[in-house]
Every structure is written in structure tokens, then in C-alpha cells.
Amino acid sequence: MLTVFLAATVLAAIFLAHCAFVGGAVLRGVFGRTPRVNGAYFSAGGTGDQALHVFYGICLGMVVNTAALFVLGMAGLLALPAVVLTGLALLLVAALTQGVAGHRIGGSYGSSCSGGVTGQNSRCPSDSGVPVGRTETWLQLATLGVIFLLCVAVSMHPPGHWDDTMYQLPLARHYVEHQAIVLHEYVRFPLFPQNMNLLFALGLMLGDTFSPVATHADELWRFGAPEVFAQLFATLPLFVIALGMWGASLRYMNSDVPGLLAALTLFMIGPVKSTLGFAYVDNGLAMYCWAAALAVAGMVGVRASLTSRQQASVLPDKESGATESSAWGGVGKSGAEVDPIVAAALLAGLLAGAACGTKYFGVVFSTWLGVLVIVAAWLAAQGNTPDADSGRSPIVAALKAAVAYAFGVLLVGSAWYIRSYVISGDPAHPAGASIFGFFLWNEGDLAFQYAEQGGYGVGVNPFKLPAALYEAGALLWLPAIASVFLKRVPAPVRLLQAAFLGYLAFWFVVSQVPRYLGPAYGLGGFLTFYALYRVWQFAVKRRFVWAPALVLVIATAYTVDRGIKYGSEYLRAEEVLATNSGYALYQHANAYREEYGDRLVQVGFENGVYFFRGTVIGDWFGPGRYRDILGCEALPCRLPNPAELEAVLKQHKAGMLLLNRQHVLNLDEVQLQAAGWQMLAATEHGVLLAPSEIKSDSVEIPASTERR
């Protein structure tokens, strides 16, 4: 276990560093010589500005890396050697674009606080002009380091929550096995946006290098590094969100404590806690939405301190000797000024496009955010914000910003939708079936899905919103809602409030599934502690000196607690996996693969598909729908006659049949054998069958499936 944990920690650090460097090059390309987001130059030396710089860089780096994996997958080159070479090529291009020496986290771009976070200065100016002691800075960084280790620790457990082993991991494994992005028609959502699934595939590929080579006698599925690494990529976005919360807290509250507390509580809200450490895509969606919202907030800026503003207005360019403008943008090497409103809108569009390429709810959030982009550009150009260019036409500024935002969204977010349209004729399969026609799914499938989603929540009475948040495990966000009533709120925070409330209203009215709150994870947590911090300032009117140390202690205690829990699950992997009702039967099926083939039809065990080392047919939706297999419309059903079931197996070219006793009523072993079925395995949850004509010599099932 320790070897896998250390390997996962190193992998996570390398991946984040790669993303930060590559994304930093993109950030410079978008903003020009001196990147500026959220109303302050990164060269001003402020810790929060540097944090936001790294935050945006990591997010953009993930966008670039995911795009590279997509290109490799579509070209049929999704193999580890090609991935490694592509990663090195991206590093080389990034280095040529910006230079290694000019992109250090501390002391970048000629900061007057030359040591930055890690330099020799004992005290550096914060974003607000309030001195930040070196000890306090290191306490903040230590807390972030603990949160990073927390993300690694919670990935150290077997898969099997539900969706992860039903279609998220099976889809990723399918791509790894084929070394290409190819249609998997038997998973539930084969044409969904799959940015995060590509990272899961990367994790499986890297984890396979730690796995022993399978032999003829070793046919069972085994838990190990591949699953841990895939789950790590699903969890790392929480650390990136935490980094953004820290930077935004320093920028908008002049304090690190609210942001770090918001980051810790992010792990504790219901929708995150329920899937923590499992291979779900929602954390990635939340990261991109949070980053995009912060970029939109940065379009209007905040008034920096006099010290920072004066520094920014006279900073010399080390290479060219030019002096940076004190306006929004920077001046590039060619001397061309970067339009800050357009640049910020483009950045927001790139990040929102990544959200669209992760999950359909990213499209909803991105659409609403597009409206706010127009509002932000209008405000900035009208002169209602400190950094506005009052000489600019609001209409022209809003139009340019909208075009830049839309371009970014389409550039990054359209690929999966184009693929879906080419394959199925529906760019949003299966959601757009009523407009574009059906593919794989049918009318009954879509109606059943809508009915199932509508069963969540407490209704759409506005007075029941607190109850809905309670049911979703997000009652902590009530202060975020109340924050709209605060006075003297900066314009960027008002935009964040608008983004949060707009999406929350959509979620409340359309579907109150807890995980569908994903686009609001970052916004809800940040605004909650923004409101609480404002109340604290009003009531106490003094600064708690030891707060950063206390936050570090809390973070460490929580990380140790989670590490013990998930480490124990890693060591008891077989015991944990046995709680999945279909795990044992799928392992029996694995042992019979050589005799009965690599294809299996199942009913009622869709949440264990990943455990079979072959192709599994059977789900509530799609070409292997249970209604067609059993010949009835409403489950549970009686078992069809043997001839009909054998016809189903032949139709799908499968040699084994796995049935759940909860969904099939008359599963009597004696009667099944009398009817001509071979009883390969039976548990309290179901039976594994094969037609008699495919019978061969019996296979001995190993007593243990633990990885050695």
C-alpha cells in the first residue's frame, strides 16, 4: 500500500506541475506579457495573485492535456509511449513560449518583492497592501500541502460506489484496451462528454505499469494501482479548487482563513463526501466552473492597494526594458496592448468550454455565465468599476467579450458534441433524441430516465429551498444565499453571487439530484465563508493571529482521519469489494472466460460491470435493456423460457448469463438445471448460467482474489 501511495503522490505532483507550466504558457498567450486576472497584476508580488496565477495555469494545463489525449484517442494512438512523448512535447513548446526562468511562482515578472512566496524577503506585500509575515505564508502553504495529501489519501480504496464501476471506469478501460476512442455501445452513456474519462484512462494506463503481467492462471480482476490512479485524477480537482479558494480569499477578503476553511468544508458537503475518492466526473466539472466564474469576476476587477497599483504602473520589463501600463492589460514583446476585457472573457470561455466537455450540466452553467460575461463587460466599459476604461463603448465592449467567450467555449467544448453528432446524429445523445432522433436508446429509455431523475428533491416551492439543500447535504450554503443582502460588496463578488444563484435556481427547478450541484461547489463554499467572514469582521473587529495555525491543525486532523479510513479499506479490499452484490459472481465469470468467452449478458448487476474482464451487455437503457432480455416491461419478471434466453445470448454473441434474484422471480437452481442450463455459480444475490451445449470441463475458483 505504501508503494502505491508514494507513487500516487509523486504522480499527482508531477501532473499538477506539468499542468501549471503548460497552462502558464497558455495564460501568457491569452493575456500578453504580464498576465492579469481578478483585478491585479501577478507581478505585484501578492500571494493571492500568485495563487490565482497558478490556479488558472493548472486549469488551463488540464484543458491542454485533455485535448492532447482526445487527439491521441481519435488518432488511435492512446498508448503510454505516445502519451509520454506528447507530454514532453507540450513541455518543450511551453518552455519555448515563455522561458523557464520567467515563470517561477515567486518573484515572477520583475516583482519588487523579488522573493515572492519562497524568496529571501521576510515580508512581502499582500494584495490589499497588508503585510503578510513569512510564518503565516508558510502556514498557508502547509495547509494546502495537507489538502493535497488528503486528495491522494482518499483515492486509496477499492472502486464500486455505483456509476464508477457501471460506466465511468468501464469506458476508460475500453479506451485503454483499444488504444483509441471507440464507441462502447453497451455502457449507459457512451457519447457523453468525456474529458474526465480520458484522465481516468491515463490513470489506468499509468497504473498498469505497477500491475503484474496476467497469466493463464490469473484471470480474475484485481484491485490495485490502476484504480487508485484513476480515482486520484477524479479527486485532484478538489485540491485545485482549494487553491483557487485560497487565492480568491486573499484577493477579495484580504485573508487566507476563509478560503482555506471553505476548501476543507468542500470535502464535507453531501454530494462531494458521498463520492469522495471514487472515479466520478463531478469534481472536474466543479473545478472548471469555479475557474470560469472567477475569470468572469476578474473582468470588472477590484481596486488594488495604492502600493500594489503604484508598483504595477512602473514595473519594468526585464527583457525589453519597457514599462508596463497601469491599465488592465499587459504589453507584449511586440508592444501590442492586450484588451483585458476580451482576454478575461476568452479565458472564461476556455474554462467554461472545458466544463461543457466534462458533463452536460457544464453547458447550462456556461450559458448562464455567458450572460454574466456581457454584464461584466458592460459594467467595465461604462466606468462603474475602478479599473474601467470609460472611453470605451459599452455595447462594443460587451459584443467583443461575448464573441471571445463564445469562441473559447466552442474551441474547447465542442469536440465531444461533434463526435456524438457524427456517430448518432444527436450532438447531445441521448438528451436530444426528441429533436435529433434516437440512437441506441429508445422512447421508453428516455421516459424512464426522466421519471427517475424527477424522483429527487422536495418539490419546487421556493420556501422549500433550505429543505432541498438539506436533502442534498449542502445546507452549509445558506449563508452563501444570504450573502446577496450584504452591503458594500465588490462587483466581482456580486458576479460570483449571480453565477451561484442562477445555477442554484436551475438545479432547484429542474432536478434536485445532489451531484448535479457540481457547477456550484466552488461558488457555494467560497460565498458561504465570504458571508461568515463579513459577519465576523462586523462582530469582532479584530484579526485572530493564530487562525492560520488553527486551520492547519484542523486540516491535518481531518486528513489523518480520512487517511486511516481509506487506508484500512485498501488493506481490506476484498472485504470491501464483497459488499458489491455482483462482485463474487463477476469474479466467477472471469474464471470461466476461457471456456465460455469474453461476453456476458447480465440483469440487475449493472453497478459491477467493471469487475468483468470482458464485455458486459445489460442495463436499464440501451441495446441490452433488461426489458428486452426478459421480455417484460416492468421488473421484476418471471424467467423466460430457455429458448428465448439462448436467443438473447446468441444475439449478443455471449456465452454466459448473470441474473439478479431481485429482478428475476423464479431462479430455482434445480429447475434451471432441469431446463438445460449449466449452473456456473450461485450466491444469495443471483446466479451465473451458461447454455448446456457450451458446457466444458469445470473450472476451479481460486479462494482469494487479493493482489500480491
Side-chain angles (χ1 to χ4, degrees):
M1 182 184 78
L2 182 59
T3 301
V4 175
F5 176 79
L6 292 175
T9 303
V10 173
L11 170 63
I14 292 175
F15 178 72
L16 290 176
H18 185 279
C19 289
F21 190 80
V22 173
V26 177
L27 194 61
R28 171 174 289 192
V30 172
F31 281 89
R33 186 74 184 131
T34 304
R36 188 184 191 213
V37 186
N38 293 77
Y41 284 102
F42 294 121
S43 56
T47 304
D49 294 333
Q50 293 170 347
L52 288 173
H53 190 185
V54 177
F55 167 69
Y56 286 119
I58 291 175
C59 292
L60 288 173
M62 284 196 188
V63 172
V64 174
N65 281 318
T66 303
L69 291 173
F70 178 82
V71 172
L72 291 175
M74 295 302 294
L77 298 173
L78 195 61
L80 193 56
V83 171
V84 172
L85 289 175
T86 302
L88 294 175
L90 290 175
L91 283 178
L92 178 60
V93 172
L96 294 175
T97 300
Q98 64 179 350
V100 176
H103 194 64
R104 298 193 314 271
I105 295 178
S108 60
Y109 307 120
S111 170
S112 61
C113 181
S114 60
V117 176
T118 58
Q120 301 301 316
N121 293 32
S122 61
R123 302 178 73 82
C124 294
S126 74
D127 310 313
S128 61
V130 179
V132 177
R134 187 172 185 174
T135 300
E136 184 174 337
T137 299
W138 281 111
L139 287 173
Q140 298 170 23
L141 294 176
T143 302
L144 287 172
V146 170
I147 294 174
F148 169 77
L149 292 177
L150 173 62
C151 290
V152 179
V154 299
S155 305
M156 298 287 296
H157 63 88
H161 185 268
W162 195 277
D163 287 4
D164 58 332
T165 46
M166 180 176 69
Y167 70 89
Q168 304 286 14
L169 288 175
L171 194 60
R173 174 60 72 184
H174 186 70
Y175 293 164
V176 172
E177 291 174 347
H178 289 80
Q179 298 185 359
I181 297 176
V182 293
L183 180 67
H184 191 336
E185 61 181 337
Y186 294 114
V187 298
R188 181 170 295 186
F189 303 114
L191 295 175
F192 263 25
Q194 296 163 24
N195 279 347
M196 290 300 295
N197 296 92
L198 291 180
L199 293 181
F200 300 164
L202 176 61
L204 294 177
M205 276 191 286
L206 294 170
D208 284 340
T209 63
F210 281 76
S211 303
V213 178
T215 64
H216 175 74
D218 186 22
E219 291 294 327
L220 303 182
W221 175 86
R222 298 181 182 277
F223 163 66
E227 290 72 36
V228 171
F229 290 179
Q231 292 171 161
L232 175 65
F233 281 115
T235 312
L236 275 181
L238 294 177
F239 168 75
V240 183
I241 294 173
L243 180 61
M245 286 179 167
W246 177 51
S249 180
L250 288 166
R251 173 107 298 273
Y252 298 127
M253 289 179 267
N254 304 325
S255 173
D256 62 292
V257 174
L260 293 177
L261 287 175
L264 281 176
T265 57
L266 176 65
F267 291 82
M268 303 173 190
I269 61 173
V272 174
K273 186 177 180 179
S274 65
T275 61
L276 187 60
F278 292 101
Y280 279 65
V281 305
D282 303 276
N283 296 334
L285 172 68
M287 176 189 70
Y288 288 128
C289 290
W290 168 233
L294 275 180
V296 173
M299 292 176 64
V300 295
V302 294
R303 187 179 297 279
S305 66
L306 180 61
T307 302
S308 297
R309 185 176 294 276
Q310 288 173 337
Q311 290 172 352
S313 65
V314 298
L315 281 174
D317 186 305
K318 284 188 173 181
E319 297 182 15
S320 64
T323 299
E324 299 291 355
S325 167
S326 62
W328 255 71
V331 179
K333 290 183 178 181
S334 63
E337 184 176 350
V338 178
D339 186 324
I341 296 178
V342 173
L346 176 59
L347 174 62
L350 294 173
L351 296 166
C356 295
T358 302
K359 198 169 184 176
Y360 286 151
F361 289 98
V363 177
V364 176
F365 185 83
S366 299
T367 302
W368 171 234
L369 206 61
V371 176
L372 298 181
V373 165
I374 297 174
V375 173
W378 183 281
L379 289 176
Q382 259 193 330
N384 291 340
T385 62
D387 290 320
D389 180 359
S390 57
R392 181 177 305 171
S393 166
I395 296 178
V396 174
L399 180 60
K400 287 183 177 180
V403 171
Y405 177 81
F407 175 77
V409 171
L410 293 175
L411 178 66
V412 173
S414 62
W416 292 110
Y417 298 86
I418 294 173
R419 172 179 179 261
S420 178
Y421 180 78
V422 170
I423 293 175
S424 69
D426 179 0
H429 176 272
S434 58
I435 300 174
F436 298 97
F438 289 91
F439 175 78
L440 299 180
W441 285 38
N442 60 24
E443 294 89 340
D445 294 338
L446 202 59
F448 184 80
Q449 172 77 354
Y450 286 150
E452 192 270 338
Q453 297 297 310
Y456 288 88
V458 297
V460 295
N461 186 329
F463 294 103
K464 291 185 177 181
L465 178 59
L469 291 176
Y470 175 79
E471 290 290 330
L475 192 62
L476 180 66
W477 289 354
L478 285 180
I481 300 174
S483 70
V484 299
F485 300 106
L486 294 173
K487 296 181 180 179
R488 296 185 298 277
V489 175
V493 178
R494 286 297 188 199
L495 284 170
L496 295 178
Q497 291 171 337
F500 172 69
L501 292 177
Y503 184 80
L504 186 65
F506 165 83
W507 171 84
F508 182 68
V509 172
V510 175
S511 178
Q512 296 175 19
V513 177
R515 285 191 298 107
Y516 294 174
L517 283 170
Y521 287 174
L523 290 164
F526 176 78
L527 291 173
T528 290
F529 281 89
Y530 177 84
L532 294 177
Y533 185 68
R534 286 284 302 271
V535 173
W536 169 271
Q537 285 183 311
F538 177 80
V540 180
K541 295 184 173 63
R542 68 184 180 89
R543 189 166 175 264
F544 183 29
V545 177
W546 292 103
L550 180 60
V551 174
L552 175 59
V553 171
I554 295 172
T556 302
Y558 182 70
T559 300
V560 170
D561 174 74
R562 294 296 89 186
I564 293 173
K565 176 184 184 297
Y566 290 107
S568 174
E569 291 185 3
Y570 185 97
L571 296 174
R572 299 182 298 106
E574 284 300 309
E575 180 183 340
V576 174
L577 289 165
T579 60
N580 184 292
S581 60
Y583 175 71
L585 291 168
Y586 278 118
Q587 289 288 54
H588 280 281
N590 283 325
Y592 283 103
R593 284 171 58 236
E594 184 175 352
E595 286 71 28
Y596 294 96
D598 294 331
R599 296 172 69 86
L600 176 151
V601 172
Q602 69 84 25
V603 174
F605 294 107
E606 68 274 6
N607 64 324
V609 166
Y610 181 70
F611 301 131
F612 182 63
R613 298 180 59 193
T615 301
V616 177
I617 299 99
D619 195 2
W620 295 95
F621 315 95
R625 60 186 61 86
Y626 297 153
R627 303 188 303 278
D628 293 345
I629 294 173
L630 298 178
C632 69
E633 286 299 318
L635 274 63
C637 305
R638 296 187 63 83
L639 188 69
N641 64 61
E644 293 176 347
L645 283 179
E646 287 189 38
V648 171
L649 292 182
K650 291 180 180 179
Q651 175 188 350
H652 295 291
K653 300 178 182 178
M656 289 180 282
L657 178 64
L658 181 59
L659 300 175
N660 192 316
R661 297 182 189 275
Q662 185 178 354
H663 298 307
V664 184
L665 296 176
N666 54 333
L667 289 181
D668 182 87
E669 286 85 346
V670 175
Q671 294 181 0
L672 288 170
Q673 290 176 339
W677 291 98
Q678 295 298 314
M679 184 68 62
L680 304 182
T683 69
E684 61 179 311
H685 301 291
V687 296
L688 178 65
L689 308 172
S692 57
E693 62 268 22
I694 312 178
K695 179 181 178 181
S696 63
D697 294 336
S698 62
V699 177
E700 181 179 355
I701 305 298
S704 175
T705 60
E706 183 179 358
R707 180 184 292 279
R708 302 190 186 279

